[in-house]
């Protein structure tokens, strides 16, 4: 990416959602030249499989399928299946984001039913501060579910989950979620403009 003609450098920015957010947080923690990272509804921990980087392994946090709930319509609600995070600051399943060189923007929906993203970002913030880092920027959106996508994308309240091969609920109230997608896009562009050497106060979303 650093060799791409449209990449200004000297570093790059990362934007990830859900598992992609955790991949971005891992990259920011272990790789150089990551100037800014945006995590959208990430967990901040190793999910269902071990994260490997050279000789480093981050074991999965684990889950308990007995905690799956079934809604009145038969759709699964998996929000509580992941194991609780104990020893927040030294838990081996937590991605060591305190090693990241660039700033991190955390975006979370407070009605996320994939996992409790609002609690995850709070844990991440506490971990960073416990390691002497500044409190990161956190944006929480009430009434907003898991799939915070670019503006004007259709809201996805439920769909088939690859892990379970069944339909699960993602959360989000239509109006609140739609408004969050519009605002989050602006916040992301502003964050990257600030930390990737942008000069414009207002950045065109080109949508």
């Amino acid at each position: 990416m650093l060799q791409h003609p449209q990449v200004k450098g000297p570093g790059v920015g990362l934007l990830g959602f859900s598992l992609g957010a955790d991949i971005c947080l891992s990259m920011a923690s272990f790789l150089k030249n990551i100037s800014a990272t945006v995590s959208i509804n990430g967990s901040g921990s190793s999910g269902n499989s071990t994260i490997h980087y050279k000789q480093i392994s981050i074991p999965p946090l684990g889950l308990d399928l007995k905690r799956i709930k079934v809604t009145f319509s038969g759709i699964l609600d998996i929000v509580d299946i992941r194991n609780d995070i104990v020893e927040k600051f030294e838990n081996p399943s937590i991605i060591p984001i305190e090693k990241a060189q660039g700033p991190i923007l955390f975006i979370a929906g407070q009605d996320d039913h994939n996992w409790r993203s609002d609690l995850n970002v709070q844990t991440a913030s506490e971990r960073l501060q416990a390691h002497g880092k500044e409190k990161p920027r956190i944006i929480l959106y009430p009434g907003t579910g898991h799939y915070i996508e670019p503006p004007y994308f259709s809201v996805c309240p439920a769909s088939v989950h690859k892990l379970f091969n069944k339909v699960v609920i993602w959360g989000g109230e239509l109006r609140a979620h739609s408004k969050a997608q519009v605002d989050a896009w602006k916040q992301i562009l502003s964050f990257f403009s600030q930390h990737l050497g942008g000069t414009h106060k207002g950045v065109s979303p080109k949508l």
Side-chain angles (χ1 to χ4, degrees), residues 26-121:
S26 299
M27 292 174 65
S29 300
F30 296 119
L31 304 181
K32 297 179 180 179
N33 300 318
I34 307 298
S35 298
T37 304
V38 177
S39 167
I40 303 176
N41 281 337
S43 71
S45 62
S46 181
N48 304 315
S49 58
T50 303
I51 295 175
H52 297 282
Y53 176 70
K54 295 184 177 180
Q55 285 74 43
I56 300 172
S57 295
I58 304 177
L61 187 62
L63 45 82
D64 184 354
L65 299 182
K66 295 178 181 178
R67 294 198 285 264
I68 293 178
K69 303 171 187 175
V70 182
T71 67
F72 71 94
S73 59
I75 298 176
L76 303 185
D77 187 342
I78 62 173
V79 68
D80 291 320
I81 67 172
R82 290 170 69 90
N83 291 335
D84 293 334
I85 298 175
V86 296
E87 300 178 357
K88 294 181 181 180
F89 309 138
E90 302 301 333
N91 189 304
S93 295
I94 304 300
I95 298 168
I97 55 176
E98 67 277 1
K99 298 180 182 295
Q101 298 178 352
I104 303 173
L105 168 62
F106 291 96
I107 295 175
Q110 292 185 292
D111 189 38
D112 186 350
H113 278 257
N114 184 64
W115 46 48
R116 299 194 181 277
S117 290
D118 52 350
L119 297 181
N120 292 337
V121 297

Side-chain angles (χ1 to χ4, degrees), residues 1 14 18 32 42 52 54 57 64 69 74 133 138 144 175:
M1 288 298 297
L14 303 177
S18 191
K32 297 179 180 179
H52 297 282
K54 295 184 177 180
S57 295
D64 184 354
K69 303 171 187 175
K133 300 288 185 175
I138 297 173
T144 303
R175 180 178 293 273

